[in-house]
Amino acid sequence: MVTNGTGLEKAPPGAPPRPATPRRRRSLLPYGLLLPATLLLGLVLGYPLVRLVVISTQRYGLRSLFTGTTTAAGWDNYAAVLGDDQLLPVLGRSIGFCAALVLGTLVIGFGVALLLQRIGRGMRTAVTLCLIAAWALPNVASTLVWQWLFQPGYGVVNWLLTRAGFGDLTQHDWTTSPASAFTLVWLLVVWQSVPFVALTLHAGLSQIPRSYYEAAALDGAGPWRVHRTITFPFLQPILGLVTILSVIWDFTVFNQIWILTQGGPNDGTTTLGIWTFTRAFSRNDFGQGAAIAVVSVALLVAMTAVYVRRLVRSGEDL
């Protein structure tokens, strides 16, 4: 056997060269498998995002939409958006409404997941089917149904509240004040979001060994201590995932707000999504609309970056 100075085996002189080690090919295989999905995502998601950034630096109005000719605006659109008096109220409204939606969705979704753990098999199947049906309903269709339920004069909810003794609410319009309008939208979005969170947390709860709960019961632990020491630590990665997804979905809510209130009354329910749409299509200033959208994306990335990093690290530790 011929060895070199490092103790490794050395090929004898005149021996045919060794074939390339398969380690190199194996290391490239995952990248090759990911390449089609990367190209598809780059085409479907990357191009619109790049196009959005380009438009945000142009004077892009209705004329440009038809002629295709634009002029460079530099940072003027961003300066106009960041200097607008509407920015801070809209930003605060968007973040506060998103936080209320995420909190309501997680709390109610966790409660429904616990309920699914405790009811019988037949009832659990029925509740699961109802959740899937509510989740599968297109949000535009469900928003129109919601609009009919709370409609002044013919709304079923107004009729029920009147019958229940809350006063004569048959002609009450829930969209005349920002607080009641946001409550109306909040109920709708939470109702649409709870099924995904409840079913995901129920799947996570079903993976926790029952012996842990039995041992805690023998030790005399109460419900809150059981959840604090057993349930929440086990569900932490799943809770992180559904929280990130809820933040992304709730921060970009548009259809429900636009159909029910169109940002009113007096811009009281105007969020960043509604502001982007009205600035782009009501004023026909697509450059400033694109600038608001880019700012929204940057805020969303900043809000979720820390949580995503923690989630990835927790996944690597598993």
Side-chain angles (χ1 to χ4, degrees):
M1 177 181 298
V2 180
T3 58
N4 55 18
T6 61
L8 299 177
E9 185 179 349
K10 183 179 179 181
R18 292 182 177 181
T21 175
R23 180 180 302 174
R24 180 69 175 171
R25 292 196 295 271
R26 283 200 301 268
S27 63
L28 294 178
L29 181 60
Y31 298 101
L33 295 175
L34 289 174
L35 185 61
T38 304
L39 292 176
L40 183 62
L41 287 175
L43 182 64
V44 175
L45 299 177
Y47 174 74
L49 189 59
V50 171
R51 184 64 177 153
L52 183 73
V53 174
V54 171
I55 292 177
S56 70
T57 60
Q58 295 174 335
R59 292 185 176 84
Y60 203 104
L62 191 60
R63 182 177 181 180
S64 302
L65 190 64
F66 289 101
T67 62
T69 58
T70 61
T71 56
W75 299 102
D76 291 350
N77 290 327
Y78 289 96
V81 169
L82 296 178
D84 198 305
D85 294 336
Q86 275 191 291
L87 176 63
L88 290 180
V90 170
L91 186 59
R93 206 176 293 131
S94 301
I95 295 175
F97 188 52
C98 176
L101 287 173
V102 172
L103 182 62
T105 302
L106 291 180
V107 171
I108 299 176
F110 182 70
V112 175
L114 291 177
L115 177 67
L116 289 173
Q117 289 291 106
R118 285 162 173 75
I119 58 180
R121 184 175 180 179
M123 185 59 72
R124 183 165 55 247
T125 302
V127 174
T128 302
L129 291 176
C130 291
L131 291 173
I132 293 175
W135 188 25
L137 194 65
N139 59 32
V140 173
S142 58
T143 304
L144 293 176
V145 172
W146 213 256
Q147 193 177 39
W148 173 76
L149 289 174
F150 290 87
Q151 188 180 32
Y154 304 100
V156 176
V157 174
N158 289 1
W159 178 79
L160 285 174
L161 291 175
T162 302
R163 290 287 182 177
F166 288 95
D168 186 8
L169 297 175
T170 52
Q171 299 298 327
H172 181 70
D173 189 352
W174 296 88
T175 61
T176 54
S177 73
S180 60
F182 263 129
T183 303
L184 190 64
V185 179
W186 185 89
L187 289 171
L188 173 60
V189 177
V190 170
W191 174 74
Q192 293 171 327
S193 306
V194 159
F196 171 76
V197 175
L199 293 175
T200 304
L201 293 180
H202 170 61
L205 287 172
S206 63
Q207 300 304 311
I208 302 176
R210 305 306 303 172
S211 57
Y212 291 178
Y213 291 107
E214 294 170 359
L218 290 176
D219 290 340
W224 169 245
R225 187 177 178 185
V226 168
H227 290 315
R228 185 169 56 85
T229 57
I230 299 176
T231 305
F232 291 138
F234 270 96
L235 289 182
Q236 186 177 3
I238 300 177
L239 283 171
L241 178 64
V242 296
T243 301
I244 291 172
L245 292 177
S246 296
V247 169
I248 295 172
W249 292 337
D250 295 337
F251 194 74
T252 57
V253 166
F254 175 80
N255 290 337
Q256 297 88 336
I257 299 176
W258 183 253
I259 293 175
L260 290 176
T261 69
Q262 296 187 348
N266 298 322
D267 295 332
T269 58
T270 298
T271 58
L272 281 173
I274 301 295
W275 196 33
T276 303
F277 182 82
T278 54
R279 185 59 62 95
F281 292 96
S282 296
R283 291 191 181 184
N284 294 322
D285 194 339
F286 301 100
Q288 287 193 17
I292 298 172
V294 172
V295 171
S296 302
V297 172
L299 288 173
L300 197 55
V301 171
M303 290 168 61
T304 58
V306 177
Y307 225 4
V308 170
R309 187 178 179 184
R310 289 182 57 186
L311 186 65
V312 171
R313 284 186 173 180
S314 65
E316 291 175 348
D317 293 338
L318 293 177

